[in-house]
Amino acid sequence: MKVVCRVPDRGEVELAELLRGLVAAPPGQPYADDVVELCQQFGARLMADPVARVHPELMTLGFFMRKAELARGKREHEAAARQDLVQVPAGLVFHVPPANVDTIFMYSWLLSVLAGNTNVVRLSSRSAPVVDHLCALLDELLAAPRHADARARVAMIQYGHDDAITAAISAHAAIRVIWGGDATVATIRRAPLPPYGRDLTFADRWSLMALDAATVAALAPAELVALAEQLFNDIFWFDQAACSSPRLCLWIGTGALVATVRDRLWSAVADVATARGLRPEVALRMARELFVHQAVLDGPVVGRTDYGAALTVARVDRLDGLSRAHPGGGLLFEAIAPSLASLDRWVTRRDQTLTHFGFARHELIELAQRLAGRGIDRLVPVGQALHLARFWDGYDLLAQLVRNVHVVG
């Protein structure tokens, strides 16, 4: 069986040979100096990269890998140390990232390499130019002699839908990280892991935002534009197809108050889309249009407003009965509620991220406590919906990617 190895750039290689090399690679350690330096170099290169400047998601990735952020992560890791525990790498980690979010594979690899693991990352055979660019940049940095060990512990590969290849890699995996939704999780899980192996799975999720109407109404014009820019990032990156992309806007306030501000805000978001040159593909607009017509027939959609070609807002008069089906591509459901407590009965385990604006921290903590794990794993300010972090889908990813050796004596 053969695969194409993109990082290190080796072209077509025999899978068995590739796996033998990875298994024999020198073991790493959590937050080893050479790996932290590699990640810092990658982040610095990305922040200065002219290609990244036209892809905001790459700048976010560079921000995630900047020196200060890595140092903060290392301090948190060391502060959590216990005298009777020695943290060691989990071993070989097999990553299966989604095809619809170009940068997830880098986040998945980054957290695992910081844990000291050896990594096999399966890239989509339909990789985007952004993925090609990231692979080339990482390959260039790994070519330095100082990073020889890190280079030996990574393989970013491409292959078609070949269950035999997936099974062969899985047979060596201590941890398998499966992104991409329910169907991908079910498919990949058909390949058995070793008895000691385990899966980290990221199933289909749904996300929403909550805006405090009084806070939005009180914004000065420049502040409203700033909010619109943050909402643009949340809604339109990755065509609203990421699991953390908001699809419902829940206004907290009275109907009269919301009526005074909603058009101002959504028009400002549409203006940002126009200014940034967003032109939704015709197929995407058609899918959105067909979906809205069906939603009007099925309820509880009671009206719609189009804000240019980019954004359609569909008003619903109640949350009960609102389906979580969604076409992506610039469609927001919109509802009004008297308080965040209105979410208590509606939220399910499928709901992942609540982006928020205008709420006190204690209100958000109270909501998380009331939900008690029934749904919503992230509550983050607007503009951060797509900022992947160590804590995701209820996991502490870094903690999941190391092993704890208990030493008593």
Side-chain angles (χ1 to χ4, degrees), residues 302-324:
V302 294
R304 61 175 287 178
T305 307
D306 295 304
Y307 296 88
L311 178 65
T312 295
V313 178
R315 296 187 300 281
V316 301
D317 60 356
R318 62 188 188 283
L319 292 180
D320 292 343
L322 176 63
S323 166
R324 284 173 174 75

Side-chain angles (χ1 to χ4, degrees), residues 211 224 228 231-232 235-236 249 251 258-275 278-280 285 288-289 292 303-315 329-334:
L211 305 178
L224 189 77
L231 292 173
F232 173 88
I235 297 169
F236 292 106
C249 173
W251 289 96
V258 172
T260 67
V261 70
R262 58 182 302 279
D263 274 339
R264 285 178 57 214
L265 180 61
W266 300 136
S267 295
V269 172
D271 289 344
V272 174
T274 301
L278 180 69
R279 300 180 63 86
R285 292 176 60 184
R288 186 177 73 194
E289 192 64 25
V292 170
R304 61 175 287 178
T305 307
D306 295 304
Y307 296 88
L311 178 65
T312 295
V313 178
R315 296 187 300 281
L331 171 65
L332 268 183
F333 294 114
E334 182 186 55

